[in-house]
Amino acid sequence: MRQSQKTEQADRQRRIGLEDQRKTGARSMASGENTMMSGIGFQALILSRENLNQAYLRVFKNKGAAGIDGMTFDELLPYLKEHKRELLVSLVDGNYKPKPVKRVEIPKPNGGVRNLGIPTVVDRLIQQAVAQVLSPVFEQIFSDNSFGFRPNRSCADAIARTVALYNSGYHYVVDLDLKAYFDTVNHDMLMKFLERQIDDRWTLRLIRRFLTSGTMNGKMFERSEQGTPQGGPISPLLANIYLNELDKELTRRGHQFVRHADDCNIFVKSPRAGEHVLASIAHFLEKELKLTVNQEKTKVVSATKMKFLGFSLSVDKNGAYPRPVRQSKERVKQALKKLTKRNRGTSLEDMLGQIQRKMRGWSQYYCIGKMKSFIVSLDQWLRSHIRQYIWKQWKNTITRINNLKRLGLSASDAYIAANTRKGTGERRTAKRCTIP
């Protein structure tokens, strides 16, 4: 007896493995057709050997903490070698159940905590595989004004767009702040947005299971009624898919805006226009997207007073330019102060390496902003603290005298500096010796 079409498709799905699965069933997006793919195409792409191998490499590269099962990223490969077949069978048959995520609280720079949900490394692998297939599909419909968690886009691009908008005459900003956005995403609405582009029950069911896998807060299990907790590879993509509805609404209304994840600034030309936009967009967010606008932090401000991704804007005769906000400068100085604390018991080489890594990352991020005077003053302050650290390590007077002489001081000056009663003595030696 001839099998039904539904049965044939089910049998075909069960034969999907890691070998030689390509974009079967995918429609051409370049030709302008609908971006949907058939279910067999999505599943084949997600479970293909190439995609899973790429997902593994990304998970291993990102490292990260273990989930609730305690398995670390370097234990993932041995586990896959032993359990690959049963893992694939559970995925194909739809029996795969993600484990609850591990709740971790990360302090925010301005106080409070940010809740992260750390999946197990196996779940991270599957999430990464799904995200790698879904991302190209949704990149076709994402707004050009969205910059967060997207390929070939960065914070620097977002800041450059704010500068361009200010120079185009948009001198006021509606600074939107969403209260606990990642924790309040409505699952049903998110699935509805996904279904517009994904015609595959298998993929949608897998994503739903990740959303509702729950959270282990210590030894307490908490159900996931809403939200897409930060910490999983698929969460940034899902967050962008949800807020793409905001992007489409802002575009439909003709507004100029820049969004990076849940940080969104709408640029207007007057405070009155800003207040009108704020009221209407806040209503849209709360009624249509079921999100909560933080009324205390959401406001209309001059573009030169906004704080966006650690930057603010200043203006000179050539127009607007970005600069790091005061809080960013204070945080890096506090971090350096901890690294150069004199009682750390760390070798000078290790401390200098830590300072180099810290400043390399900080300067690479903030190098697009003007901060010459700050860098000069920070350099002077840091050199002073490093001198104090070296002075403390030299400990006794004889060692200080000998080391100062090797650095070029005369015997009398070295004796005077080594026997000073002025604390670390950096004022007396700063102009006469250099850091080795």
Side-chain angles (χ1 to χ4, degrees), residues 251-414:
T251 302
R252 186 185 68 82
R253 299 184 184 189
H255 294 314
Q256 301 292 335
F257 67 97
V258 180
R259 183 175 67 80
H260 188 281
D262 58 331
D263 291 333
C264 183
N265 285 332
I266 308 170
F267 284 75
V268 293
K269 293 188 175 182
S270 70
R272 182 176 180 180
E275 294 294 342
H276 176 74
V277 171
L278 173 56
S280 59
I281 291 300
H283 180 265
F284 171 82
L285 287 167
E286 295 182 341
K287 182 178 180 181
E288 301 297 331
L289 297 185
K290 311 300 181 185
L291 298 173
T292 303
V293 177
N294 191 330
Q295 299 294 341
E296 295 180 357
K297 296 183 178 180
T298 297
K299 53 189 178 298
V300 180
V301 296
S302 169
T304 56
K305 294 182 179 179
M306 73 171 184
K307 298 175 183 178
F308 184 50
L309 303 177
F311 289 90
S312 58
L313 296 182
S314 292
V315 183
D316 60 15
K317 63 180 181 180
N318 297 318
Y321 63 87
R323 57 181 173 81
V325 297
R326 176 178 54 83
Q327 293 84 347
S328 299
K329 298 175 182 178
E330 291 176 351
R331 283 197 295 270
V332 72
K333 193 170 184 178
Q334 288 300 315
L336 293 174
K337 190 174 183 180
K338 290 181 179 179
L339 292 178
T340 55
K341 193 174 181 180
R342 294 192 294 275
N343 61 357
R344 288 187 64 206
T346 304
S347 70
L348 178 62
E349 291 74 16
D350 288 344
M351 184 196 70
L352 293 177
Q354 293 169 2
I355 292 174
Q356 186 181 46
R357 289 189 293 273
K358 178 66 180 178
M359 289 308 302
R360 182 187 294 120
W362 192 89
S363 59
Q364 284 178 349
Y365 182 83
Y366 287 101
C367 65
I368 61 172
K370 285 189 178 181
M371 51 180 178
K372 181 179 179 179
S373 60
F374 170 71
I375 291 297
V376 170
S377 64
L378 182 66
D379 179 70
Q380 295 172 348
W381 176 89
L382 181 58
R383 287 175 180 272
S384 175
H385 275 65
I386 294 175
R387 282 193 282 269
Q388 294 176 42
Y389 193 90
I390 295 172
W391 193 257
K392 181 72 179 290
Q393 284 195 331
W394 285 349
K395 294 183 180 179
N396 58 62
T397 303
I398 297 300
T399 302
R400 290 173 177 175
I401 291 175
N402 292 334
N403 286 329
L404 289 174
K405 288 168 66 177
R406 277 195 290 269
L407 290 172
L409 264 68
S410 65
S412 59
D413 285 342

Side-chain angles (χ1 to χ4, degrees), residues 7 32 39-40 82 86 89 172 177 210 231 271 296 356 364 412-413:
T7 304
I40 190 67
E82 183 177 354
E86 60 186 273
V89 170
Y172 293 89
D177 186 88
F210 278 120
E296 295 180 357
Q356 186 181 46
Q364 284 178 349
S412 59
D413 285 342

Side-chain angles (χ1 to χ4, degrees), residues 57-288:
L57 293 175
R58 180 63 63 86
V59 170
F60 187 85
K61 180 180 178 181
N62 291 341
K63 304 186 186 302
I68 63 171
D69 60 355
M71 185 188 300
T72 59
F73 65 91
D74 54 355
E75 296 173 327
L76 178 58
L77 184 58
Y79 174 86
L80 293 175
K81 288 181 178 179
E82 183 177 354
H83 301 281
K84 178 180 70 174
R85 182 173 179 78
E86 60 186 273
L87 176 60
L88 286 173
V89 170
S90 67
L91 283 164
V92 173
D93 291 344
N95 298 323
Y96 179 79
K97 292 184 179 180
K99 290 182 173 62
V101 298
K102 181 180 179 181
R103 172 63 56 83
V104 178
E105 294 182 346
I106 304 297
K108 290 183 178 181
N110 56 352
V113 294
R114 175 179 287 108
N115 291 325
L116 298 184
I118 308 299
T120 65
V121 288
V122 176
D123 289 340
R124 291 210 292 269
L125 170 69
I126 306 304
Q127 285 193 27
Q128 182 65 38
V130 175
Q132 288 171 177
V133 173
L134 264 58
S135 181
V137 176
F138 283 94
E139 279 297 316
Q140 303 293 322
I141 64 170
F142 281 163
S143 170
D144 189 50
N145 298 307
S146 168
F147 294 89
F149 308 119
R150 295 183 60 188
N152 303 318
R153 286 171 172 259
S154 65
C155 294
D157 297 326
I159 297 300
R161 182 67 60 85
T162 65
V163 171
L165 287 173
Y166 184 94
N167 291 334
S168 297
Y170 296 90
H171 294 173
Y172 293 89
V173 171
V174 179
D175 187 0
L176 281 177
D177 186 88
L178 300 177
K179 191 172 183 179
Y181 167 66
F182 283 88
D183 297 329
T184 57
V185 169
N186 185 284
H187 288 173
D188 292 334
M189 296 193 69
L190 175 58
M191 296 308 299
K192 182 179 70 173
F193 302 149
L194 284 164
E195 288 170 3
R196 293 175 182 173
Q197 303 299 321
I198 302 175
D199 183 22
D200 177 20
R201 297 174 66 87
W202 181 87
T203 304
L204 294 170
R205 183 169 59 247
L206 182 59
I207 295 173
R208 171 76 81 166
R209 286 185 175 179
F210 278 120
L211 291 172
T212 59
S213 61
T215 302
M216 290 299 297
N217 192 354
K219 296 183 179 180
M220 184 76 67
F221 174 78
E222 299 176 357
R223 297 182 61 185
S224 301
E225 303 291 345
Q226 59 182 3
T228 172
Q230 300 179 74
I234 202 171
S235 293
L237 175 61
L238 296 180
N240 269 335
I241 292 171
Y242 200 88
L243 281 183
N244 188 54
E245 301 303 310
L246 171 63
D247 297 345
K248 291 193 297 185
E249 181 65 15
L250 291 172
T251 302
R252 186 185 68 82
R253 299 184 184 189
H255 294 314
Q256 301 292 335
F257 67 97
V258 180
R259 183 175 67 80
H260 188 281
D262 58 331
D263 291 333
C264 183
N265 285 332
I266 308 170
F267 284 75
V268 293
K269 293 188 175 182
S270 70
R272 182 176 180 180
E275 294 294 342
H276 176 74
V277 171
L278 173 56
S280 59
I281 291 300
H283 180 265
F284 171 82
L285 287 167
E286 295 182 341
K287 182 178 180 181
E288 301 297 331

